[in-house]
């Protein structure tokens, strides 16, 4: 248990975004062929399209996926914390987000300054949420804990996070 949450504590994911939890469902995340591991670096240009996710769990159980950036607009002054990048609800266990209901469409990482954390949080639903999940009115100032409480999701069952920073502009010769 401790080994699976340690990177989340060190990376301040636990604390800044969610409370301490016990991972209980497998979740694999890929951008192209790059497997995302906690704390790895992903170039924003690789993450323009939504990641491929494989979610464990039982097919009769539904999950909600939330992707946020708690470091917007700057890690030293995260005044827009959290900025929500993606929400998908009603994902059947053993499948992927493409089988769920997209609540807010995917927007890839666009860190303006510094190294940002991008956190994919998976919650187990007590029941199918259907149309009860409304998109947030704005992407800025999202709160994962509040969202989970509002929809009765409880603590996360899986989290994967990566880091990204602004890529240098291509130099013309």
């Amino acid at each position: 248990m401790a080994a699976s949450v340690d990177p989340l504590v060190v990376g301040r994911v636990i604390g800044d975004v969610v409370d301490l939890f016990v991972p209980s469902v497998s979740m694999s995340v890929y951008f192209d062929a790059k497997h995302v591991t906690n704390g790895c670096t992903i170039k924003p240009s690789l993450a323009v399209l939504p990641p491929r996710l494989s979610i464990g769990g039982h097919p009769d159980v539904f999950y909600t996926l939330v992707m946020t950036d708690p470091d917007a607009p700057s890690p030293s002054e995260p005044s827009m914390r959290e900025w929500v990048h993606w929400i998908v609800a009603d994902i059947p266990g053993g499948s992927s987000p493409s089988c769920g209901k997209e609540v807010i469409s995917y927007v890839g990482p666009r860190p303006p300054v510094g190294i940002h954390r991008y956190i994919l949080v998976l919650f187990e639903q007590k029941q199918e949420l259907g149309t009860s999940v409304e998109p947030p009115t704005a992407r800025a100032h999202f709160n994962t804990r509040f969202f989970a409480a509002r929809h009765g999701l409880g603590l996360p069952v899986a989290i994967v996070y990566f880091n990204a920073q602004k890529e240098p502009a291509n130099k013309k010769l």
Side-chain angles (χ1 to χ4, degrees), residues 41-114:
T41 299
I42 300 288
K43 291 181 179 181
S45 59
L46 186 64
V48 172
L49 297 175
R52 278 186 302 111
L53 271 87
S54 175
I55 296 168
H58 195 273
D60 293 339
V61 177
F62 291 98
Y63 298 89
T64 294
L65 176 73
V66 174
M67 179 177 165
T68 70
D69 171 3
D71 301 317
S74 160
S76 59
E77 296 211 17
S79 60
M80 294 167 66
R81 175 177 290 171
E82 299 164 47
W83 204 89
V84 64
H85 282 260
W86 197 24
I87 300 175
V88 183
D90 295 338
I91 305 166
S95 71
S96 70
S98 63
C99 298
K101 175 191 171 228
E102 193 170 66
V103 176
I104 188 167
S105 61
Y106 177 83
V107 173
R110 296 185 214 156
V113 63

Side-chain angles (χ1 to χ4, degrees), residues 4-21 117 119 145 159:
S4 60
V5 296
D6 282 353
L8 302 175
V9 172
V10 171
R12 297 180 339 274
V13 172
I14 292 175
D16 285 354
V17 178
V18 297
D19 296 321
L20 188 61
F21 72 102
R117 297 165 293 163
I119 300 153
R145 285 182 182 97
I159 293 181

